[in-house]
Amino acid sequence: QVQPEESGGGLVQPGGSLRLSCTAPGFTSNRCGMDWYRQVPGEQRYWVSSIYTDGSTTYTDSVKGRFTISEDEAKDTVYLQMNSLKPEDTAMYYCKTGPRGTWCDGWSDWGQGTQVTVSS
């Protein structure tokens, strides 16, 4: 399995913005989409957003209107633009090919994640 590489996390004040990047070489040529998840230590991992091969996108309710997922196919990279960040957004963010339950779901492994901390 391919291990995605997440980057772009950091420390930001409430109301601030970050753009996360997820690179998984070959995922676009394999006609897979990409999902973003986040996890707080000791808690389960939650789905945040998805982008599909047709360019459509979905978001969990808590981030709608604040987060935007996008893709640069040439770079095999997916981005998660996060605006109006809240302390509750603090988590380790991961990406993984999808959709869930498909061959694409198994194409990539979990990466190391990138830490997002929202604090004043």
Side-chain angles (χ1 to χ4, degrees), residues 32-48:
C32 294
M34 189 67 73
D35 304 331
W36 280 100
Y37 296 80
R38 64 188 182 188
Q39 184 176 31
V40 176
E43 300 182 5
Q44 69 180 42
R45 185 172 293 162
Y46 291 96
W47 170 80
V48 175

Side-chain angles (χ1 to χ4, degrees), residues 5-117:
E5 295 184 0
E6 302 95 340
S7 63
L11 175 64
V12 65
Q13 295 184 357
S17 298
L18 286 172
R19 189 181 75 162
L20 307 184
S21 297
C22 167
T23 298
F27 91 90
T28 57
S29 64
N30 280 279
R31 302 180 64 182
C32 294
M34 189 67 73
D35 304 331
W36 280 100
Y37 296 80
R38 64 188 182 188
Q39 184 176 31
V40 176
E43 300 182 5
Q44 69 180 42
R45 185 172 293 162
Y46 291 96
W47 170 80
V48 175
S49 181
S50 295
I51 187 166
Y52 303 91
T53 56
D54 63 357
S56 62
T57 59
T58 55
Y59 304 89
T60 191
D61 286 344
S62 63
V63 308
K64 287 181 179 177
R66 300 189 298 119
F67 290 11
T68 303
I69 188 171
S70 61
E71 180 181 9
D72 185 338
E73 292 185 353
K75 297 181 179 180
D76 280 319
T77 297
V78 168
Y79 304 97
L80 187 66
Q81 178 67 45
M82 306 185 297
N83 299 325
S84 301
L85 283 163
K86 305 175 181 180
E88 65 192 60
D89 296 317
T90 296
M92 185 73 76
Y93 284 71
Y94 301 89
C95 62
K96 191 179 190 299
T97 49
R100 180 182 176 184
T102 69
W103 176 84
C104 286
D105 186 23
W107 187 79
S108 77
D109 204 348
W110 296 105
Q112 294 182 336
T114 185
Q115 178 67 40
V116 172
T117 302

